PDB file of all heavy atoms in Angstrom:
ATOM      1  N   THR A  75      54.109 -43.653   9.619  1.00 92.00           N
ATOM      2  CA  THR A  75      52.789 -43.655  10.237  1.00 92.00           C
ATOM      3  C   THR A  75      51.829 -44.649   9.609  1.00 92.00           C
ATOM      4  O   THR A  75      50.815 -45.024  10.210  1.00 92.00           O
ATOM      5  CB  THR A  75      52.159 -42.255  10.202  1.00 92.00           C
ATOM      6  OG1 THR A  75      52.118 -41.807   8.869  1.00 92.00           O
ATOM      7  CG2 THR A  75      52.967 -41.278  11.043  1.00 92.00           C
ATOM      8  N   ARG A  76      52.183 -45.152   8.439  1.00 90.00           N
ATOM      9  CA  ARG A  76      51.354 -46.222   7.833  1.00 90.00           C
ATOM     10  C   ARG A  76      51.289 -47.406   8.804  1.00 90.00           C
ATOM     11  O   ARG A  76      50.304 -48.117   8.902  1.00 90.00           O
ATOM     12  CB  ARG A  76      51.982 -46.629   6.493  1.00 90.00           C
ATOM     13  CG  ARG A  76      51.340 -47.858   5.848  1.00 90.00           C
ATOM     14  CD  ARG A  76      52.003 -48.184   4.575  1.00 90.00           C
ATOM     15  NE  ARG A  76      53.467 -48.239   4.743  1.00 90.00           N
ATOM     16  CZ  ARG A  76      54.325 -48.490   3.802  1.00 90.00           C
ATOM     17  NH1 ARG A  76      53.904 -48.752   2.574  1.00 90.00           N
ATOM     18  NH2 ARG A  76      55.626 -48.543   4.042  1.00 90.00           N
ATOM     19  N   TYR A  77      52.408 -47.667   9.509  1.00 88.00           N
ATOM     20  CA  TYR A  77      52.462 -48.763  10.452  1.00 88.00           C
ATOM     21  C   TYR A  77      52.147 -48.330  11.883  1.00 88.00           C
ATOM     22  O   TYR A  77      51.465 -49.059  12.605  1.00 88.00           O
ATOM     23  CB  TYR A  77      53.826 -49.457  10.390  1.00 88.00           C
ATOM     24  CG  TYR A  77      54.081 -50.087   9.054  1.00 88.00           C
ATOM     25  CD1 TYR A  77      55.125 -49.676   8.238  1.00 88.00           C
ATOM     26  CD2 TYR A  77      53.256 -51.099   8.553  1.00 88.00           C
ATOM     27  CE1 TYR A  77      55.349 -50.213   7.001  1.00 88.00           C
ATOM     28  CE2 TYR A  77      53.465 -51.655   7.305  1.00 88.00           C
ATOM     29  CZ  TYR A  77      54.504 -51.226   6.533  1.00 88.00           C
ATOM     30  OH  TYR A  77      54.723 -51.765   5.304  1.00 88.00           O
ATOM     31  N   THR A  78      52.633 -47.181  12.341  1.00 89.00           N
ATOM     32  CA  THR A  78      52.372 -46.778  13.709  1.00 89.00           C
ATOM     33  C   THR A  78      50.902 -46.506  13.923  1.00 89.00           C
ATOM     34  O   THR A  78      50.419 -46.683  15.058  1.00 89.00           O
ATOM     35  CB  THR A  78      53.190 -45.543  14.126  1.00 89.00           C
ATOM     36  OG1 THR A  78      52.891 -44.445  13.265  1.00 89.00           O
ATOM     37  CG2 THR A  78      54.667 -45.796  14.100  1.00 89.00           C
ATOM     38  N   ASP A  79      50.190 -46.066  12.896  1.00 88.00           N
ATOM     39  CA  ASP A  79      48.777 -45.695  13.050  1.00 88.00           C
ATOM     40  C   ASP A  79      47.834 -46.653  12.324  1.00 88.00           C
ATOM     41  O   ASP A  79      46.654 -46.337  12.129  1.00 88.00           O
ATOM     42  CB  ASP A  79      48.565 -44.272  12.491  1.00 88.00           C
ATOM     43  CG  ASP A  79      49.345 -43.248  13.292  1.00 88.00           C
ATOM     44  OD1 ASP A  79      49.839 -43.558  14.381  1.00 88.00           O
ATOM     45  OD2 ASP A  79      49.485 -42.119  12.773  1.00 88.00           O
ATOM     46  N   TYR A  80      48.285 -47.808  11.945  1.00 84.00           N
ATOM     47  CA  TYR A  80      47.478 -48.767  11.182  1.00 84.00           C
ATOM     48  C   TYR A  80      46.185 -49.105  11.889  1.00 84.00           C
ATOM     49  O   TYR A  80      45.133 -49.245  11.252  1.00 84.00           O
ATOM     50  CB  TYR A  80      48.310 -50.038  10.898  1.00 84.00           C
ATOM     51  CG  TYR A  80      47.644 -50.985   9.929  1.00 84.00           C
ATOM     52  CD1 TYR A  80      47.769 -50.749   8.558  1.00 84.00           C
ATOM     53  CD2 TYR A  80      46.951 -52.096  10.363  1.00 84.00           C
ATOM     54  CE1 TYR A  80      47.172 -51.606   7.649  1.00 84.00           C
ATOM     55  CE2 TYR A  80      46.375 -52.945   9.455  1.00 84.00           C
ATOM     56  CZ  TYR A  80      46.475 -52.706   8.112  1.00 84.00           C
ATOM     57  OH  TYR A  80      45.916 -53.560   7.206  1.00 84.00           O
ATOM     58  N   PHE A  81      46.198 -49.295  13.192  1.00 88.00           N
ATOM     59  CA  PHE A  81      45.006 -49.662  13.971  1.00 88.00           C
ATOM     60  C   PHE A  81      44.474 -48.497  14.772  1.00 88.00           C
ATOM     61  O   PHE A  81      43.662 -48.674  15.655  1.00 88.00           O
ATOM     62  CB  PHE A  81      45.317 -50.834  14.902  1.00 88.00           C
ATOM     63  CG  PHE A  81      45.640 -52.104  14.162  1.00 88.00           C
ATOM     64  CD1 PHE A  81      46.945 -52.568  14.111  1.00 88.00           C
ATOM     65  CD2 PHE A  81      44.663 -52.816  13.536  1.00 88.00           C
ATOM     66  CE1 PHE A  81      47.262 -53.727  13.426  1.00 88.00           C
ATOM     67  CE2 PHE A  81      44.943 -53.984  12.839  1.00 88.00           C
ATOM     68  CZ  PHE A  81      46.254 -54.433  12.794  1.00 88.00           C
ATOM     69  N   GLY A  82      44.931 -47.273  14.511  1.00 87.00           N
ATOM     70  CA  GLY A  82      44.587 -46.065  15.240  1.00 87.00           C
ATOM     71  C   GLY A  82      45.846 -45.337  15.621  1.00 87.00           C
ATOM     72  O   GLY A  82      46.945 -45.901  15.522  1.00 87.00           O
ATOM     73  N   HIS A  83      45.732 -44.074  15.997  1.00 89.00           N
ATOM     74  CA  HIS A  83      46.894 -43.278  16.279  1.00 89.00           C
ATOM     75  C   HIS A  83      47.790 -43.928  17.328  1.00 89.00           C
ATOM     76  O   HIS A  83      47.428 -44.133  18.485  1.00 89.00           O
ATOM     77  CB  HIS A  83      46.497 -41.869  16.780  1.00 89.00           C
ATOM     78  CG  HIS A  83      47.660 -41.006  17.097  1.00 89.00           C
ATOM     79  ND1 HIS A  83      48.508 -40.506  16.155  1.00 89.00           N
ATOM     80  CD2 HIS A  83      48.118 -40.566  18.298  1.00 89.00           C
ATOM     81  CE1 HIS A  83      49.461 -39.785  16.729  1.00 89.00           C
ATOM     82  NE2 HIS A  83      49.233 -39.803  18.050  1.00 89.00           N
ATOM     83  N   ASN A  84      48.982 -44.286  16.900  1.00 83.00           N
ATOM     84  CA  ASN A  84      50.013 -44.928  17.742  1.00 83.00           C
ATOM     85  C   ASN A  84      49.487 -46.141  18.482  1.00 83.00           C
ATOM     86  O   ASN A  84      49.933 -46.434  19.603  1.00 83.00           O
ATOM     87  CB  ASN A  84      50.602 -43.903  18.736  1.00 83.00           C
ATOM     88  CG  ASN A  84      51.815 -43.244  18.148  1.00 83.00           C
ATOM     89  OD1 ASN A  84      52.585 -43.849  17.392  1.00 83.00           O
ATOM     90  ND2 ASN A  84      52.017 -41.990  18.518  1.00 83.00           N
ATOM     91  N   ALA A  85      48.590 -46.888  17.874  1.00 82.00           N
ATOM     92  CA  ALA A  85      48.084 -48.125  18.453  1.00 82.00           C
ATOM     93  C   ALA A  85      49.031 -49.273  18.103  1.00 82.00           C
ATOM     94  O   ALA A  85      48.722 -50.130  17.299  1.00 82.00           O
ATOM     95  CB  ALA A  85      46.664 -48.403  17.947  1.00 82.00           C
ATOM     96  N   THR A  86      50.205 -49.217  18.695  1.00 81.00           N
ATOM     97  CA  THR A  86      51.246 -50.177  18.404  1.00 81.00           C
ATOM     98  C   THR A  86      52.147 -50.305  19.618  1.00 81.00           C
ATOM     99  O   THR A  86      52.113 -49.482  20.522  1.00 81.00           O
ATOM    100  CB  THR A  86      52.098 -49.698  17.181  1.00 81.00           C
ATOM    101  OG1 THR A  86      53.173 -50.604  16.977  1.00 81.00           O
ATOM    102  CG2 THR A  86      52.638 -48.303  17.361  1.00 81.00           C
ATOM    103  N   CYS A  87      52.994 -51.337  19.637  1.00 78.00           N
ATOM    104  CA  CYS A  87      53.957 -51.515  20.725  1.00 78.00           C
ATOM    105  C   CYS A  87      55.216 -50.646  20.461  1.00 78.00           C
ATOM    106  O   CYS A  87      56.165 -50.699  21.242  1.00 78.00           O
ATOM    107  CB  CYS A  87      54.328 -52.969  20.879  1.00 78.00           C
ATOM    108  SG  CYS A  87      55.091 -53.663  19.405  1.00 78.00           S
ATOM    109  N   ALA A  88      55.194 -49.874  19.373  1.00 81.00           N
ATOM    110  CA  ALA A  88      56.316 -49.038  19.005  1.00 81.00           C
ATOM    111  C   ALA A  88      55.810 -47.647  18.596  1.00 81.00           C
ATOM    112  O   ALA A  88      55.964 -47.222  17.454  1.00 81.00           O
ATOM    113  CB  ALA A  88      57.120 -49.675  17.868  1.00 81.00           C
TER     114      ALA A  88
END
Side-chain angles (χ1 to χ4, degrees):
T75 56
R76 173 181 48 182
Y77 297 118
T78 59
D79 298 345
Y80 190 81
F81 295 106
H83 179 70
N84 269 328
T86 175
C87 61

